[in-house]
Amino acid sequence: GAGVSQSPSNKVTEKGKDVELRCDPISGHTALYWYRQSLGQGLEFLIYFQGNSAPDKSGLPSDRFSAERTGGSVSTLTIQRTQQEDSAVYLCASSLGDRGRNTIYFGEGSWLTVV
Amino acid sequence: SQQGEEDPQALSIQEGENATMNCSYKTSINNLQWYRQNSGRGLVHLILIRSNEREKHSGRLRVTLDTSKKSSSLLITASRAADTASYFCAPTNTGRRALTFGSGTRLQVQP
């Protein structure tokens, strides 16, 4: 597609349930990023994929969070046993190559509400 | 940390005025990018300035970079109500793989 696509755009889930958030990056982009943003806060880095390299998972807040990227394209962020503090917008982004040499393009985010 | 810190945290101006936002960082950089975010949506890239550049323009945007002071500024001239958004800087260097962002400057332009 023309841009980074995320689904679902909104998700309400009960505490304790698992959720999966999907990201379709721009075709040809080798770098993919996940960020989290709580209401009124800045962006919190979660995880970064670059080509076939091992992902940088240093931002994942707990072992309830995991992400994978299949075939170097689509990525899924999974949150297990969701907690209310997981409520946030989860932003996916992609770029050509890594780091800041290239512009990062963001999706519109997946709004997660844990009740 | 390579994360940039924006200042001020919030800025309110009248339409037509200029808005200046600042970014400070701690490590050496290859370049620095500015992004804009409307109301919790995805960030949109505004401008990238390389470490060997001191000033760059794009439309009503003017970005300066002072690597000796490890700071950058974003100036929006003749602001419009549609400029109301949060603005983030992202300094980058070869030692860090992913862009990280500070808390941003929330700009409110009053019509």
Side-chain angles (χ1 to χ4, degrees):
Chain A
V4 178
S5 177
Q6 291 188 247
S7 61
S9 55
N10 287 283
K11 175 74 175 179
V12 180
T13 190
E14 293 181 351
K15 179 181 174 181
K17 295 284 181 68
D18 297 352
V19 297
E20 286 189 350
L21 307 176
R22 176 188 169 103
C23 173
D24 279 280
I26 292 173
S27 178
H29 280 192
T30 58
L32 187 147
Y33 314 74
W34 282 98
Y35 295 89
R36 176 172 73 172
Q37 187 176 34
S38 301
L39 191 62
Q41 303 298 312
L43 272 73
E44 177 186 4
F45 164 71
L46 296 178
I47 189 169
Y48 164 71
F49 297 89
Q50 169 53 35
N52 295 321
S53 301
D56 178 355
K57 303 180 181 180
S58 60
L60 294 178
S62 76
D63 58 8
R64 295 187 297 105
F65 288 74
S66 63
E68 62 177 20
R69 189 178 185 192
T70 54
S73 181
V74 172
S75 177
T76 301
L77 177 68
T78 301
I79 308 173
Q80 295 178 310
R81 305 181 302 282
T82 52
Q83 303 294 313
Q84 287 185 328
E85 59 263 30
D86 299 335
S87 296
V89 59
Y90 289 81
L91 293 164
C92 178
S94 72
S95 68
L96 282 169
D98 67 356
R99 297 191 290 272
R101 300 180 190 279
N102 301 284
T103 298
I104 290 185
Y105 297 87
F106 282 80
E108 290 302 306
S110 290
W111 289 85
L112 175 65
T113 303
V114 182
V115 298
Chain B
S1 170
Q2 188 183 333
Q3 181 173 303
E5 294 297 334
E6 298 86 357
D7 174 71
Q9 290 186 342
L11 180 61
S12 182
I13 60 174
Q14 296 294 316
E15 204 165 27
E17 294 180 338
N18 295 342
T20 299
M21 290 158 272
N22 302 297
C23 170
S24 60
Y25 57 93
K26 295 182 179 178
T27 64
S28 60
I29 62 170
N30 287 345
N31 63 58
L32 185 143
Q33 301 183 38
W34 283 91
Y35 286 80
R36 163 197 169 122
Q37 182 183 39
N38 288 352
S39 190
R41 302 180 73 83
L43 276 68
V44 174
H45 178 261
L46 293 177
I47 196 164
L48 180 153
I49 185 166
R50 302 191 188 284
S51 60
N52 61 353
E53 297 176 312
R54 292 296 169 260
E55 187 171 313
K56 199 163 183 179
H57 297 253
S58 177
R60 294 184 295 112
L61 305 180
R62 172 177 168 254
V63 168
T64 62
L65 179 63
D66 187 335
T67 53
S68 66
K69 295 181 179 178
K70 291 186 169 55
S71 68
S72 175
S73 67
L74 170 66
L75 168 68
I76 303 174
T77 60
S79 63
R80 305 166 182 169
D83 294 328
T84 294
S86 290
Y87 292 82
F88 296 86
C89 69
T92 65
N93 65 22
T94 56
R96 176 71 180 178
R97 298 173 65 196
L99 284 189
T100 53
F101 298 85
S103 299
T105 292
R106 294 183 298 281
L107 173 65
Q108 177 75 42
V109 181
Q110 306 287 349

